[in-house]
């Protein structure tokens, strides 16, 4: 009996890594030259902050009155301030403070605002009314004035400035998450989860929240830029970082009376604030274009 040989066709290797929204967003983001420029700026300042002890030529609080208000030179590339301290060293260490304040203030706002927004949007009724009215009251005040009031009550310090910035930005994320929850909780996948008896906490954190991450990330990235400006404003008013901490806003405040005699004392800290904020704004705009389905072709 003749044997029948069945020849099977070779199976082609298939890429099992399914395309995900985040991977697609990264592909779009990489094509955005302005977003990549913003990412490069942020990466540069993060590297400066991380390696500040290796980059700074002098201790940031080391002064020499004989060398005060000296223009940029080989010994002091950015010049010196009114106390003879090296401005380059203070700008480098100031990157740590500004990025730390901006990042952690926004993270605190995101956590608190997300929790409140989830509760308000999902449960509604008196919970939504109470939380929404709190947000309305907070938004009725200009953000910087509310931050000044909070720091004035708690006392001027960098930590209190961070807390104030986090508090004033909670309504922004709370209202954003609330609006997302209101639109998502009527979707079929949420209604199906309710029908099978899934607990509210699981529905909120495993179904609704993951589908709300895109606008939170975009708003958070842009919020870091705003938080850095707010921290600089509080520092300029003497309500943020205290001497001898090299916070950029505080450096501007301390040197404003020397702006004509020694303009380099305000140029370099001001330029650092501008570039950092520009970087976060560019990457934030790029993320918005990449993560918003309406912006995709």
């Amino acid at each position: 009996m003749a044997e029948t040989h069945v020849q099977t066709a070779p199976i082609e290797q298939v890429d099992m890594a399914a395309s995900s929204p985040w991977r697609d967003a990264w592909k779009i983001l990489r094509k955005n030259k302005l977003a990549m420029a913003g990412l490069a700026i942020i990466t540069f300042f993060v590297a400066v902050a991380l390696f500040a002890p290796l980059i700074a030529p002098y201790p940031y609080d080391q002064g020499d009155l004989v060398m005060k208000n000296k223009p940029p030179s080989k010994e002091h590339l950015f010049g010196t301030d009114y106390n003879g301290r090296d401005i380059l060293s203070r700008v480098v260490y100031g990157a740590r403070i500004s990025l730390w304040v901006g990042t952690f203030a926004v993270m605190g706002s995101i956590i608190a605002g997300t929790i409140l927004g989830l509760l308000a949007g999902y449960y509604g009724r008196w919970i939504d009314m109470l939380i929404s009215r709190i947000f309305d009251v907070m938004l009725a005040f200009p953000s910087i004035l509310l931050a000044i009031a909070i720091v004035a009550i708690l006392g001027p310090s960098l930590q209190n400035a961070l807390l104030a910035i986090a508090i004033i930005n909670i309504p922004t994320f709370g209202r954003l998450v609330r609006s997302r929850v209101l639109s998502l909780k009527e979707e079929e996948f949420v209604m199906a989860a309710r029908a099978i008896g899934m607990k509210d906490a699981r529905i909120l954190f495993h179904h609704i929240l993951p589908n709300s991450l895109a606008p939170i990330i975009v708003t958070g990235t842009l919020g870091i830029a705003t938080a850095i400006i707010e921290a600089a404003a509080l520092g300029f008013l003497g309500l943020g970082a205290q001497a001898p901490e090299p916070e950029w806003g505080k450096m501007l405040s301390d040197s404003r009376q020397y702006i004509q005699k020694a303009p380099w004392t305000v140029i370099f800290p001001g330029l650092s604030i501008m570039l950092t904020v520009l970087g976060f704004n560019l990457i934030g705009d790029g993320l918005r274009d990449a993560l918003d389905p309406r912006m995709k072709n």
Side-chain angles (χ1 to χ4, degrees), residues 248-261:
W248 292 336
K250 178 66 174 172
M251 292 173 66
L252 291 175
S253 176
D254 292 341
S255 301
R256 65 182 184 275
Q257 58 182 320
Y258 305 104
I259 190 170
Q260 293 183 343
K261 180 180 178 182

Side-chain angles (χ1 to χ4, degrees), residues 48-127:
V48 168
L50 291 175
F51 300 104
L54 301 177
I55 298 175
Y58 303 95
Y60 68 83
D61 56 352
Q62 176 181 311
D64 183 0
L65 292 178
V66 177
M67 297 292 295
K68 69 177 183 179
N69 289 335
K70 293 295 183 181
S73 62
K74 292 182 179 180
E75 292 78 15
H76 302 279
L77 295 179
F78 286 4
T80 61
D81 64 6
Y82 64 99
N83 275 331
R85 295 172 297 195
D86 184 68
I87 294 178
L88 173 59
S89 300
R90 293 180 63 78
V91 167
V92 166
Y93 276 96
R96 283 185 167 185
I97 296 176
S98 292
L99 291 175
W100 177 72
V101 171
T103 302
F104 282 93
V106 170
M107 286 178 61
S109 300
I110 289 176
I111 293 172
T114 297
I115 293 174
L116 293 174
L118 288 173
L119 295 175
Y122 189 78
Y123 291 106
R125 298 184 179 180
W126 67 268
I127 296 178

Side-chain angles (χ1 to χ4, degrees), residues 9-20:
I11 301 175
E12 297 181 357
Q13 298 293 329
V14 180
D15 185 9
M16 301 301 295
S19 178
S20 68

